Each structure stands twice: as C-alpha cells, then as structure tokens.
Amino acid sequence: MPTIAEQVEQLATQLKARGQMMATAESCTGGMIAAACTDLAGSSQWFERGFVTYSNEAKTELLGVPAGLIATHGAVSEPVARAMALGAVAHSRAQVAVAVTGIAGPTGGTADKPVGTVWFGWNVNGNITTATRRFDGDRAAVRQQTLAWACARLNALLQTPPHAPR
C-alpha cells in the first residue's frame, strides 16, 4: 500500500486535473486527514477546508447533520457518515469530501459497535459512497488506518470520470 504522503500526492494530482477542491469532515481522526493533505506544499490549490466535528453538536452545527439522525442511529453510523459527507460539500466551496466517524478507543465500544468501528462517507460531485471498516490495534493504530483507508478509497473513487449529481 502506498504511504500516506504518496496517497495525498495522488489526491492532489487527481483533484488538480479535475479543477476541483476537497473538504474533510472528521470525527474520530480529529483533523488527521486535513493535516495529511495540508502537509503537502501547494495544497491550497486543491484542499478547501476541514471540519473537525468531534461532538454531536458540532456535526449538527457545522455540517447540518440532523440531531434526530444522530439520536436514532448514533454518531457512528452510515446515515451520519453520509450526512457528514453531504454537509462538508454543502458548507464549503469543495466538490469532493471525505467524512469519517468512528470509535477509536480504548473505550466507547459496544457489542454492536466495537472499538475500531469506523464509518466512512465520500461525496464526489454529489455522488455519495459509504462503507464501514473495523480496524484492530490501539487508538493511534485505528486512527492511522482510518486516515490511510479514507485517502485510498477517495483516490479509487476519483479514478472514474466526473459524474453529474444524482
């Protein structure tokens, strides 16, 4: 698997070729994806902004995630990851977004959502893709794996030609 820096360089290349900007909506990673993107010099050409929405209130206030959605499904869920990805584009000048919400641990897990559970949402020109993964390891490992998978999957999604919103 390519390094994070290599994945970010690929994101930069693809987004610049498309003339598009990216935003992040992060919970469990606390801004790690945005930090990795802005570690690359010249990232202002393709990285528009990052939302760190760790609390449920932040998800609602900054991204427009309905509080009822969080109450019904929990912050770590497919509907919330989808809403975060939609909100990141709606509340920015970006056309592309990645959203992550998960349980990095060591506490907070349940039988249904054990530590290491992460929901992802990607918004590419209004087309939403979601996925869930369960990562092993300590808090740092879960967060690092979340960063790597979020970038790798976004790179794969950007390989396809741009689509009109559904």
Side-chain angles (χ1 to χ4, degrees), residues 24-26 51-53 57-66 80 83-91 99:
T24 60
E26 301 179 66
F51 298 92
V52 177
T53 55
E57 293 79 11
K59 290 173 183 65
T60 298
E61 291 170 11
L62 297 176
L63 298 172
V65 177
V80 170
M84 289 172 68
L86 284 165
V89 168
H91 293 90

Side-chain angles (χ1 to χ4, degrees), residues 92-116:
S92 72
R93 291 180 175 83
Q95 300 80 33
V96 173
V98 59
V100 296
T101 182
I103 305 165
T107 61
T110 65
D112 289 343
K113 297 177 186 176
V115 169

Side-chain angles (χ1 to χ4, degrees), residues 7-8 10-16 18-26 32-38 43-51 85 88-89 92-100 121-125 147 150-155 158:
Q7 289 183 42
V8 169
Q10 185 180 358
L11 281 174
T13 299
Q14 292 196 87
L15 289 164
K16 286 190 292 187
R18 290 169 163 249
Q20 294 184 317
M21 300 294 282
M22 173 183 165
T24 60
E26 301 179 66
M32 290 173 66
I33 301 168
C37 289
T38 58
S43 57
S44 62
Q45 296 174 34
W46 57 273
F47 186 82
E48 208 273 325
R49 71 182 72 183
F51 298 92
V89 168
S92 72
R93 291 180 175 83
Q95 300 80 33
V96 173
V98 59
V100 296
W122 297 271
N123 183 343
V124 179
N125 301 321
L147 162 63
C151 292
R153 185 71 181 117
L154 181 55
N155 270 317
L158 289 172

